[in-house]
Amino acid sequence: AYNLDTSPHKINLCGDHYRHHNGKSYQFQAVRKAKVAVTCDDSLSHEQLPPFGNPEFNQVANELILDKTAPAITEKRVVGIQMRSAADGLRLAAHFLNEKMKCKVCLLAQLCSEHYEPIFKQAGFTCKRYQYCDVERNALNIYGLVADMMTAPDGAVIVLDACAQNPTNLTPTIDEWKLIAHIAKCKKMIPIFYLESHGLASGDTRRDTWPVRYFAEFSFDFLCVQSFVQNFGLYDETLGHLMAVVSNVTHLDTVRHQLESSVLEHNAQCSSIFASRVVAKVLTNTTLRNDWALTVKDIHQNMRQMRLALSNKLEILKTPGNWSQLKDQLGPHFYTNMNVPQLKELRRRHIYVPDSGRINVGALRPNNVDYVAGAINDVMISTKADTAAKPKEENS
């Protein structure tokens, strides 16, 4: 619909791309340099990848989350698998847990990514929901979350977004994460962490991956899926990763064998070796890694400024609805809580937002943020008026 729209004012707020003022996808300079270096390196092999993908990439991907000195790394209790995308990593994790570990119940947040439930149902899970977002307050419903975890079956799988939860962008505090970990441990749950935008949520990958490290130190058996698309600008070279951490090193060989069996049974394809080599090059070269970390921080700060600019404009316009959460949300998106009819009205004003109501902050710029705010304000006022008029029509 966006591509067919001929309006010069159209704005695409879908997707994950961080964009220049001209609307084109931003390219990380560290990633660009790494691409050139990998392309020009004649010493690299062109042999087919092993089932788990590029070993160098898997190592740096594990260390990006857990650190080189983490006990799970030094004690060799970690398995890493290169995946074509984070969604493919989640799909492999679901099949592994259902078929090899005999897990049957999966807990998903209400609200969560629209991709989660189909993936787990297809793998054979019964999906149950745990409360996450208090829509009226636009805040984390920690009491409902805890209550639903306590009443869930023992041994259930629970999917947790480690930072900037999709679509609400709400993240538990450190104390709340510790409470979640304690209950999950008592209930013998198997967590699956999903990392879609680590680094862009707070500007610091270490801060965004803290919950995963805490669970690793808490002696959990768990899985972690991460994407390298948004935080490396690899929009045309999708790359994901699945990491398994076991609390007992004697179980590692069995888990590795079972994961490899799942990879082969489901023909789980890893992405191109080129993308994995680019990420490995960035993360193992000190200069490139520092450059990449600065870029991630700059993008985070720019998106933070756009988030505040939109929030301030909506406050000035006195837009109906609760927009206070906009300043507090983290990550490259924000959750509007607008319904589908309201989003359709936005599209009539040439602003395209997915039905989830999750706006890509990376597409906002100083030259379009006022237009977006004005359109949201007009839609909220018009829909509020329509809602108020309906009872009168019914009474008449």
Side-chain angles (χ1 to χ4, degrees):
Y2 172 81
N3 290 334
L4 293 173
D5 193 336
T6 58
S7 171
H9 304 295
K10 66 179 182 178
I11 302 173
N12 184 3
L13 298 181
C14 304
D16 304 314
H17 293 217
Y18 177 72
R19 301 183 183 275
H20 284 286
H21 63 278
N22 58 10
K24 293 184 178 180
S25 300
Y26 180 84
Q27 186 174 26
F28 290 53
Q29 288 305 305
V31 174
R32 180 177 176 274
K33 293 175 182 177
K35 286 181 177 180
V36 173
V38 170
T39 302
C40 297
D41 191 345
D42 293 332
S43 67
L44 295 174
S45 169
H46 296 282
E47 298 293 329
Q48 185 178 1
L49 288 171
F52 283 4
N54 182 357
E56 184 183 20
F57 164 74
N58 286 328
Q59 180 179 340
V60 296
N62 292 338
E63 292 172 354
L64 181 64
I65 300 176
L66 297 178
D67 295 333
K68 290 182 179 180
T69 58
I73 297 285
T74 58
E75 295 169 10
K76 302 186 184 304
R77 294 188 280 108
V78 182
V79 178
I81 307 175
Q82 177 188 340
M83 303 301 303
R84 183 172 51 188
S85 67
D88 281 353
L90 192 64
R91 192 172 292 110
L92 178 62
H95 283 294
F96 164 71
L97 290 172
N98 181 266
E99 297 167 4
K100 310 301 181 183
M101 303 297 293
K102 307 304 178 184
C103 301
K104 301 301 178 185
V105 177
C106 177
L107 302 181
L108 303 174
Q110 179 68 32
L111 307 156
C112 70
S113 169
E114 64 271 19
H115 303 299
Y116 291 176
E117 188 166 358
I119 285 175
F120 282 92
K121 282 188 173 180
Q122 187 180 30
F125 277 90
T126 298
C127 295
K128 297 182 178 295
R129 296 286 182 162
Y130 61 86
Q131 299 172 71
Y132 194 86
C133 177
D134 184 332
V135 176
E136 293 184 2
R137 295 190 302 115
N138 287 298
L140 181 70
N141 184 0
I142 187 62
Y143 300 108
L145 192 161
V146 166
D148 289 342
M149 286 184 68
M150 291 291 291
T151 56
D154 288 359
V157 173
I158 182 168
V159 180
L160 300 162
D161 287 28
C163 64
Q165 195 261 0
N166 182 358
T168 67
N169 285 285
L170 298 171
T171 301
T173 64
I174 287 178
D175 287 339
E176 287 168 344
W177 272 122
K178 291 179 178 179
L179 177 60
I180 292 169
H182 177 73
I183 297 172
K185 192 72 173 179
C186 293
K187 299 288 290 183
K188 299 179 181 179
M189 292 181 174
I190 300 179
I192 300 180
F193 285 100
Y194 196 87
L195 283 163
E196 186 179 32
S197 54
H198 44 311
L200 298 177
S202 68
D204 181 4
T205 54
R206 182 170 177 79
R207 178 179 172 184
D208 291 342
T209 55
W210 180 89
V212 188
R213 289 195 303 279
Y214 180 77
F215 273 64
E217 294 168 1
F218 211 75
S219 299
F220 269 94
D221 294 318
F222 69 89
L223 298 163
C224 179
V225 177
Q226 59 178 322
S227 170
F228 289 87
V229 175
Q230 295 181 47
N231 56 358
F232 277 80
L234 293 173
Y235 306 115
D236 58 344
E237 292 277 358
T238 59
L239 179 64
H241 182 258
L242 172 63
M243 179 180 72
V245 179
V246 296
S247 57
N248 189 334
V249 69
T250 61
H251 297 159
L252 187 70
D253 286 341
T254 301
V255 170
R256 188 194 305 275
H257 174 75
Q258 298 283 25
L259 279 169
E260 185 170 357
S261 177
S262 293
V263 168
L264 297 175
E265 287 172 11
H266 295 280
N267 193 27
Q269 299 177 354
C270 59
S271 59
S272 72
I273 191 170
F274 179 74
S276 68
R277 283 172 171 168
V278 168
V279 171
K281 187 74 173 178
V282 171
L283 294 179
T284 55
N285 182 289
T286 302
T287 302
L288 292 178
R289 180 160 186 158
N290 291 338
D291 187 5
W292 168 74
L294 287 174
T295 301
V296 168
K297 187 174 183 178
D298 287 343
I299 290 176
H300 162 75
Q301 291 174 343
N302 290 338
M303 289 192 297
R304 176 69 177 162
Q305 290 173 0
M306 288 300 96
R307 190 186 297 278
L308 292 175
L310 181 60
S311 176
N312 291 336
K313 187 65 177 179
L314 291 172
E315 286 183 5
I316 292 172
L317 294 172
K318 297 184 178 356
T319 303
N322 182 5
W323 302 97
S324 59
Q325 85 284 0
L326 182 53
K327 294 180 180 179
D328 300 326
Q329 290 181 9
L330 298 174
H333 302 88
F334 81 81
Y335 182 58
T336 63
N337 198 27
M338 296 174 72
N339 57 38
V340 173
Q342 290 169 335
L343 296 173
K344 287 182 177 178
E345 285 297 319
L346 269 187
R347 291 167 199 163
R348 293 190 181 96
R349 290 164 170 80
H350 313 290
I351 296 176
Y352 293 85
V353 177
D355 288 348
S356 65
R358 186 172 180 246
I359 282 181
N360 176 18
V361 180
L364 293 175
R365 288 292 175 267
N367 59 3
N368 67 20
V369 67
D370 285 353
Y371 181 74
V372 171
I376 291 175
N377 182 66
D378 292 344
V379 168
M380 297 305 294
I381 289 175
S382 64
T383 53
K384 183 179 180 181
D386 291 344
T387 303
K390 284 182 180 179
K392 294 180 180 179
E393 294 173 2
E394 292 171 359
N395 290 339
S396 62

